[in-house]
Amino acid sequence: GAGSREYGTPAMGFLDGWRFCPRCAAEGEHRGDHFVCQACGHVVWSNPVPGVHALIECDGKVLLGRRAFNPGAGCWGLPGGFLEETEEPAAGLRREVAEETGLEVEVDGLFGTWLQAHGERTVLCLIYRARVVGGVEQAADDVTELAWFGPDNLPQDVGPSAFADAVSAWRQQHP
């Protein structure tokens, strides 16, 4: 993979301010990186949430989409999104790419992992290499525009930082 680094820390942690159990409403307590309800035993951890993103390559170019929402609204980014609860990463990647780009992709392996602040949560960005195998390219869902970029004409406004760093790592592999 291209690498792994932490990028930004949420201004407020996921469990900051929690006082009551989300299951039974009894008062709970913080224990480092988790919240425990003494009444019902429910435990909530402040671990990152998984997101899957595609580095789609074709003819020496990478596909980027202009983001409709924060973080990074208006910036160019990698197609992808959050995994559903029981979804395998490759299936989630194919679903998210289809929703945002109209394209069907084949996953060609993990490119790298990055941590990215996202509101009060941290996202574990699993970035996979992918190639187009079907579909009709059209921006939709969380993306307002799609464009292909070569290593020498990448946009300056790639964001959030995990995407910027992944695209930079991709560029370094294409001198």
Side-chain angles (χ1 to χ4, degrees), residues 3 5 32 41 46 57-60 85 91 118 125 128 140 150 158 168 172:
R5 251 177 79 190
S46 62
E57 295 178 90
C58 184
D59 296 328
E85 187 173 4
H118 184 79
C125 298
Y128 291 90
V158 176
S168 177
Q172 291 173 11

Side-chain angles (χ1 to χ4, degrees), residues 69-143:
F69 306 108
N70 279 322
C75 291
W76 291 98
L78 298 172
F82 293 107
L83 285 177
E84 294 177 358
E85 187 173 4
T86 60
E87 197 170 37
E88 292 291 328
L93 182 73
R94 288 190 297 270
R95 175 186 54 77
E96 284 286 346
V97 168
E99 288 173 5
E100 293 185 355
T101 70
L103 297 173
E104 298 170 22
V105 295
E106 184 67 35
V107 179
D108 286 336
L110 186 65
F111 180 74
T113 62
W114 281 264
L115 290 175
Q116 176 66 53
H118 184 79
E120 65 182 18
R121 296 304 305 257
T122 299
V123 179
L124 172 60
C125 298
L126 305 170
I127 300 177
Y128 291 90
R129 288 185 182 276
R131 58 187 158 76
V132 177
V133 295
V136 176
E137 184 179 311
Q138 181 175 346
D141 196 34
D142 297 340
V143 174

